[in-house]
């Protein structure tokens, strides 16, 4: 009887351990804390050369082309964080972005929540987008912006293994949700200073607000530069 009891207890403990390990693997170990002191995580450029307008792109190809024309008009440069699934369907547009002197960067492949992913899953989502963008433009992508700003320690470690800098933002225009052009303009420009990363998307309202935003940048003695330029590269 005693031996049977010991066996039951032992089996119960083993099942609990296996279940715990399986859950950690399934949920990607998200419980680990994220340190803002990571050497490859940036919310801005401390000694920036200018202001970086960052466009996260998964849709609205026509608006992307309109944004390129506006940037040309103001002699401004920007960084486009591009989703791999969009790039695969819009190769010519991606090449046009790069041809006009803007920086190409990764925004993952399928717009997933990277904060819920393991090291391996993060790498499997990011690496194909980087390879695709490199192939399309014949360049070397060095930056990654996590969709929705969601990341964890595994994301940072995966990017570090691929020599990618993880880019966040110092201000968000919330243009993906807010249709008020005036509010988008205010969020992008109020107390704007060198080294800032301004998050934007190719929405209709952003296309409308962008000329005024670039006029403010120019009139305030600032320059619109790529993220890598702001980071001194």
């Amino acid at each position: 009887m005693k031996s049977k009891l010991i066996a039951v207890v032992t089996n119960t403990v083993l099942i609990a351990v296996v279940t715990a390990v399986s859950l950690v693997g399934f949920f990607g170990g998200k419980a680990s804390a994220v340190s803002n002191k990571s050497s490859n995580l940036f919310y801005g450029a401390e000694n920036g050369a200018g202001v970086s307008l960052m466009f996260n792109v998964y849709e609205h190809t026509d608006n992307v082309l309109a944004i390129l024309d506006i940037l040309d008009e103001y002699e401004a440069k920007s960084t486009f964080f591009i989703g791999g699934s969009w790039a695969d369907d819009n190769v010519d547009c991606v090449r046009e972005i790069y041809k006009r002197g803007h920086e190409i960067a990764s925004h993952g492949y399928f717009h997933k929540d990277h904060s819920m992913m393991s090291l391996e899953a993060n790498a499997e989502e990011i690496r194909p987008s980087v390879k695709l963008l490199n192939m399309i433009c014949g360049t070397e992508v060095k930056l990654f912006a996590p969709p929705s700003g969601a990341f964890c320690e595994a994301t940072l470690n995966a990017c570090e293994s691929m020599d990618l800098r993880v880019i966040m933002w110092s201000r968000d225009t919330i243009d993906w949700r807010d249709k008020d052009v005036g509010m988008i303009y205010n969020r992008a420009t109020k107390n704007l200073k060198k080294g800032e990363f301004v998050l934007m998307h190719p929405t209709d309202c952003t296309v409308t607000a962008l000329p005024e935003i670039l006029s403010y940048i120019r009139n305030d003695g600032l320059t619109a530069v790529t993220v890598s330029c702001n980071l001194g590269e």
Side-chain angles (χ1 to χ4, degrees):
M1 183 70 180
K2 184 176 180 181
S3 60
K4 288 184 177 180
L5 179 60
I6 293 173
V8 169
V9 172
T10 301
N11 288 338
T12 301
V13 171
L14 286 173
I15 291 171
V17 170
V18 170
T19 301
V21 171
S22 298
L23 286 173
V24 169
F26 181 80
F27 287 110
K30 184 176 179 289
S32 60
V34 174
S35 169
N36 287 349
K37 296 181 180 179
S38 172
S39 61
N40 67 323
L41 174 62
F42 299 86
Y43 290 83
E46 188 174 345
N47 298 306
V51 175
S52 293
L53 302 182
M54 312 187 308
F55 295 94
N56 289 353
V57 183
Y58 265 96
E59 56 185 356
H60 302 314
T61 304
D62 289 346
N63 283 345
V64 172
L65 294 172
I67 286 169
L68 291 177
D69 289 340
I70 296 169
L71 292 172
D72 281 351
E73 181 182 348
Y74 286 84
E75 299 181 338
K77 298 304 178 186
S78 181
T79 298
F80 288 77
F81 290 88
I82 297 173
S85 58
W86 179 86
D88 197 23
D89 293 330
N90 294 274
V91 171
D92 289 343
C93 188
V94 175
R95 286 181 176 147
E96 186 66 19
I97 294 170
Y98 184 67
K99 177 183 175 182
R100 298 207 198 182
H102 303 289
E103 183 173 31
I104 301 293
S106 170
H107 198 39
Y109 207 94
F110 289 115
H111 205 279
K112 293 185 177 181
D113 182 350
H114 286 262
S115 70
M116 299 293 291
M117 299 163 68
S118 66
L119 176 66
E120 293 76 13
N122 266 282
E124 288 172 4
E125 168 67 8
I126 299 168
R127 186 177 290 110
S129 71
V130 171
K131 287 185 176 180
L132 176 62
L133 294 170
N134 285 345
M135 181 182 68
I136 291 173
C137 299
T139 186
E140 184 179 3
V141 168
K142 302 294 290 182
L143 307 177
F144 167 72
S148 304
F151 66 94
C152 62
E153 201 73 42
T155 313
L156 299 179
N157 291 336
C159 286
E160 190 167 13
S161 72
M162 291 181 275
D163 196 26
L164 294 172
R165 292 186 171 190
V166 179
I167 306 299
M168 295 294 285
W169 59 84
S170 59
R171 59 176 67 209
D172 186 355
T173 60
I174 319 181
D175 55 354
W176 57 271
R177 184 187 68 194
D178 196 340
K179 307 304 180 186
D180 188 324
V181 173
M183 290 300 296
I184 293 171
Y185 170 82
N186 287 337
R187 293 190 187 106
T189 61
K190 186 176 181 180
N191 300 322
L192 188 63
K193 57 185 181 298
K194 282 185 179 181
E196 293 218 54
F197 295 168
V198 184
L199 179 59
M200 310 181 82
H201 301 80
T203 66
D204 293 342
C205 292
T206 295
V207 172
T208 301
L210 187 57
E212 292 300 319
I213 292 171
L214 290 170
S215 291
Y216 176 92
I217 290 172
R218 183 171 60 189
N219 294 336
D220 203 44
L222 298 169
T223 306
V225 300
T226 66
V227 169
S228 286
C229 178
N230 233 339
L231 293 174
E233 295 185 353

